[in-house]
Amino acid sequence: MWKTLVKSIGEFKKPSILSPLFVSMEVVIECIIPFVAARLINQIREGCGLDVILRYGLLLLAMAGLSLVFGWLSGVVCATAASGFGRNLRRDMYYRIQGFSFENIDKFSSSSLVTRMTTDVTNVQMAYMMIIRIAVRSPLMLIFAVVMAFVMGGSLALIFVCVIPILGAGLYLIIRKVHPLFVKVFRKYDAFNMSVQENIQGIRVVKSFVREEHEKKKFEGVSEDVRADFTRAEKIIAFNNPLMLFCLYVNMVFIMTFGAYTIITTQGVDFNVGQLSALMVYSFQTLMSLMMLSMVFVMIIISDESGRRIVEVLSEKSALQSPTDPVMEVRDGSVEFVGVSFRYSQKAEHMALSRIDLRIASGETIGVLGGVGSSKTSLVQLIPRLYDATEGVVSVGGRDVRDYDIATLRGQVSVVLQNNMLFSGTIKDNLRWGDPDATDEEIAQACRMAQADEFIARFPEGYDTRIEQGGVNVSGGQKQRLCIARALLKKPKILILDDSTSAVDTRTDAAIRKAFRDYIPETTKIIIAQRVASVQDADRIVLMDKGGVAAVGRHEELLAGNDIYREIYESQNRVGMKA
């Protein structure tokens, strides 16, 4: 896991190395200071002059200044390294997610990915900061302080040998109990973020159905689960500090008692005041270094599960890859399905599509009709290779879609979803997702074809009108028409409309289809719809039922020869006549 994570250190290797180096210098000086101070105390006891005191005083001041400088430098480079490491982790995860196929994205929920890129990265970043500074400082301080304690205190320093195992055993028990709790709590974090995300995205629905109280209770339930697990973990971790302080005070009491007794009984021959003073400082340094080390362990425990969750994303390989020698040009917009079956995951019990055989000529207009759950969307998602067929072959331009460079294939296939997304920015910014280099005239032409120019002209700022996040300041029909215009700007060989005119009136729907016939006759157009009126003038209509193709033909042929199609047509027309 850590081998994968450290790859994200990147250009911050230098500060990551300098931080332990500066910390080491700081520790060495801090451990020498008590030794020098003890010498000064002994000199004063022997009745030295002011010049000796001044000399020792200046030396201690210089050493304290150096320790301060090295401590400050280690803090600066440590912060630089850790924040840079966190930035790189988020970048690497984001870039990896951008390369995921729909199958990979289905594996991780969006809320889980957000948690991994925020909370989990912050935990790992904090752990890294401690590792390159405190985790270096504490062991070094512990080693130097114990060695110097034996140098200055002799047999009295044996108290450290007794205390350290007690602390080690306590830390081990804490780690063993806490780690499983943090594994659970991060999974619940995902559920917590999912609850918040769903509520915010669907806030209009929540308010429309007056479900605020229900959502509050649901939020409270998930929030309480997270709080309870964190509380259990923190209660166990809370033993750490009292244990440390207990050992520190026992250590100090022992040293002061037996140290003072030895000074008095030996008249300062075997043990003097200077040595007692130094031993007290080394005792404090030893125990404080252990306390800081325990903090590092706690942070590593917390970040361990976060690190594993991050590595899951970084190690995930896209289920869809371009071949070694990909085809870089799509000849035309012809599409062919040969014996195609498809399931969304290996664990799925049933096929979403079964034994599909369908040929679409380049430039043909195909209507796709069927009930809810008939897998209309599943069918068209195989064309731009958003998913790969489980069985059979999907071909575009006479070549298996798996032979193409993925970017090349998708660059020639435009898909407009029913609930397509608009992003924050101007109308023009959103439209240029289709073609970043599109001229104002090309944008206007695409909007005329999509019947979007009329309502854009009514906006005071026209194409420079700002779209709010998610397109909340435009209607559903306006959003769909803008998304169609965006897709047209790609100048694709295949245009797929996945029920993307459901929010526009029949007159506008007809005008959009007429513009397609007049202006892009060579583009293959696949129109998924719920209304027969939206596809009845298509060259052919594909009727989907239960994941298979029930019938293919023109409107008149299906109306005369297919009971399912005739029933759909008549039911919609009866509704229309009653209205």
Side-chain angles (χ1 to χ4, degrees):
M1 178 186 71
W2 290 103
K3 286 182 180 178
T4 302
L5 292 175
V6 296
K7 292 177 183 176
S8 296
I9 295 173
E11 67 273 28
F12 296 96
K13 288 187 180 71
K14 184 177 179 181
S16 297
I17 295 170
L18 286 176
S19 179
L21 181 63
F22 289 141
V23 164
S24 301
M25 299 301 294
E26 180 189 14
V27 167
V28 169
I29 295 171
E30 283 189 13
C31 287
I32 294 174
I33 287 175
F35 180 80
V36 175
R39 296 285 298 272
L40 174 59
I41 291 171
N42 288 334
Q43 290 285 343
I44 294 172
R45 181 171 172 272
E46 292 172 5
C48 68
L50 187 61
D51 59 326
V52 175
I53 296 173
L54 186 60
R55 188 168 65 249
Y56 272 99
L58 290 173
L59 178 59
L60 288 170
L61 185 62
M63 293 175 71
L66 277 174
S67 176
L68 179 65
V69 169
F70 283 125
W72 174 75
L73 288 173
S74 69
V76 170
V77 294
C78 176
T80 301
S83 59
F85 175 55
R87 185 204 70 180
N88 286 353
L89 270 180
R90 292 187 186 93
R91 179 201 63 196
D92 294 344
M93 289 178 69
Y94 187 79
Y95 286 4
R96 176 70 68 173
I97 292 167
Q98 294 304 305
F100 281 174
S101 67
F102 278 21
E103 182 178 337
N104 299 111
I105 293 171
D106 292 342
K107 179 179 176 180
F108 301 97
S109 68
S110 57
S111 60
S112 177
L113 290 173
V114 169
T115 304
R116 292 167 200 248
M117 291 188 66
T118 52
T119 303
D120 288 332
V121 170
T122 300
N123 288 338
V124 172
Q125 179 180 326
M126 289 298 296
Y128 184 67
M129 181 182 291
M130 288 187 168
I131 286 169
I132 62 174
R133 192 179 186 196
I134 299 176
V136 174
R137 175 188 173 85
S138 299
L140 283 177
M141 178 67 77
L142 180 64
I143 294 168
F144 281 120
V146 169
V147 170
M148 292 302 293
F150 273 100
V151 170
M152 298 298 292
S155 59
L156 279 178
L158 288 172
I159 184 62
F160 295 116
V161 178
C162 300
V163 171
I164 290 173
I166 296 173
L167 289 173
L171 287 174
Y172 171 76
L173 291 174
I174 290 171
I175 291 168
R176 188 175 177 181
K177 291 286 186 182
V178 165
H179 186 264
L181 290 175
F182 280 116
V183 172
K184 285 174 57 181
V185 82
F186 283 115
R187 290 174 185 164
K188 291 184 178 180
Y189 249 133
D190 291 344
F192 178 77
N193 282 342
M194 175 71 80
S195 175
V196 174
Q197 181 179 323
E198 283 184 342
N199 180 271
I200 293 173
Q201 287 181 341
I203 193 66
R204 286 168 176 76
V205 178
V206 172
K207 290 188 176 298
S208 298
F209 284 87
V210 198
R211 297 285 285 177
E212 291 92 342
E213 290 304 316
H214 169 78
E215 288 297 311
K216 286 177 183 177
K217 289 178 181 177
K218 188 169 75 172
F219 175 86
E220 285 293 333
V222 180
S223 180
E224 177 60 23
D225 274 351
V226 174
R227 183 207 64 79
D229 280 345
F230 256 123
T231 301
R232 281 195 290 272
E234 291 297 336
K235 281 180 180 178
I236 297 171
I237 291 174
F239 282 109
N240 178 55
N241 199 48
L243 178 64
M244 289 291 174
L245 291 174
F246 173 76
C247 291
L248 175 62
Y249 293 140
V250 166
N251 211 31
M252 293 179 69
V253 168
F254 178 86
I255 291 171
M256 289 178 67
T257 302
F258 287 93
Y261 175 79
T262 305
I263 291 172
I264 294 169
T265 55
T266 65
Q267 298 294 314
V269 176
D270 294 339
F271 194 71
N272 56 48
V273 176
Q275 289 174 294
L276 177 62
S277 171
L279 200 59
M280 289 291 292
V281 174
Y282 289 132
S283 171
F284 182 78
Q285 287 179 341
T286 300
L287 273 299
M288 286 306 296
S289 65
L290 283 170
M291 189 176 293
M292 287 191 291
L293 204 54
S294 71
M295 291 169 55
V296 175
F297 279 132
V298 169
M299 194 65 234
I300 289 175
I301 292 169
I302 295 172
S303 66
D304 181 68
E305 182 59 22
S306 291
R308 293 182 193 281
R309 287 157 53 85
I310 292 169
V311 169
E312 280 181 10
V313 176
L314 293 176
S315 301
E316 182 78 6
K317 295 190 185 311
S318 176
L320 303 179
Q321 299 285 343
S322 296
T324 306
D325 187 19
V327 177
M328 300 301 292
E329 183 179 355
V330 179
R331 186 186 67 194
D332 56 41
S334 60
V335 180
E336 185 173 5
F337 294 82
V338 180
V340 171
S341 295
F342 169 69
R343 60 161 57 98
Y344 279 97
S345 73
Q346 296 298 322
K347 297 179 182 178
E349 295 181 3
H350 304 289
M351 291 284 188
L353 295 169
S354 298
R355 298 181 297 280
I356 303 293
D357 289 291
L358 180 65
R359 290 170 179 79
I360 302 171
S362 183
E364 196 173 9
T365 299
I366 298 293
V368 181
L369 202 66
V372 176
S374 59
S375 297
K376 303 183 295 296
T377 298
S378 299
L379 179 74
V380 297
Q381 284 182 336
L382 301 181
I383 297 172
R385 209 184 165 201
L386 299 178
Y387 292 95
D388 268 342
T390 306
E391 299 172 7
V393 176
V394 180
S395 299
V396 170
R399 297 294 297 264
D400 189 329
V401 292
R402 289 168 290 197
D403 294 338
Y404 287 106
D405 171 72
I406 292 178
T408 298
L409 174 65
R410 292 177 183 170
Q412 294 300 324
V413 181
S414 277
V415 183
V416 185
L417 304 174
Q418 180 182 8
N419 297 315
N420 227 313
M421 173 70 95
L422 292 176
F423 298 89
S424 301
T426 65
I427 290 177
K428 196 177 292 184
D429 291 336
N430 273 275
L431 294 175
R432 283 198 168 121
W433 274 63
D435 179 5
D437 301 318
T439 64
D440 289 350
E441 178 53 37
E442 287 173 327
I443 290 172
Q445 173 64 16
C447 288
R448 283 193 290 271
M449 291 171 60
Q451 307 303 304
D453 58 323
E454 181 182 352
F455 73 80
I456 293 174
R458 293 199 298 268
F459 292 146
E461 297 180 44
Y463 286 91
D464 292 318
T465 300
R466 183 166 183 79
I467 299 293
E468 300 299 331
Q469 186 178 16
V472 296
N473 59 330
V474 291
S475 70
Q478 290 172 339
K479 186 188 296 186
Q480 285 186 337
R481 281 177 278 173
L482 287 172
C483 291
I484 292 171
R486 181 172 65 187
L488 290 171
L489 277 171
K490 284 179 69 175
K491 301 179 180 64
K493 288 185 168 66
I494 301 171
L495 175 64
I496 299 171
L497 303 184
D498 186 358
D499 207 11
S500 51
T501 58
S502 59
V504 302
D505 58 81
T506 53
R507 183 185 65 82
T508 303
D509 188 7
I512 291 172
R513 297 198 309 276
K514 182 179 184 303
F516 289 170
R517 288 194 300 272
D518 294 342
Y519 294 103
I520 51 172
E522 295 180 358
T523 299
T524 302
K525 297 161 285 289
I526 301 174
I527 303 172
I528 295 176
Q530 299 292 338
R531 299 184 301 218
V532 172
S534 297
V535 297
Q536 68 181 42
D537 59 350
D539 297 322
R540 286 186 297 159
I541 298 171
V542 177
L543 183 63
M544 299 286 296
D545 185 43
K546 298 178 181 178
V549 175
V552 180
R554 294 183 63 82
H555 168 69
E556 296 79 8
E557 296 170 350
L558 294 175
L559 194 60
N562 188 275
D563 293 338
I564 299 174
Y565 185 83
R566 185 167 52 252
E567 183 182 343
I568 295 171
Y569 176 77
E570 289 176 352
S571 67
Q572 290 181 1
N573 277 293
R574 280 198 298 272
V575 171
M577 288 186 292
K578 288 179 181 179

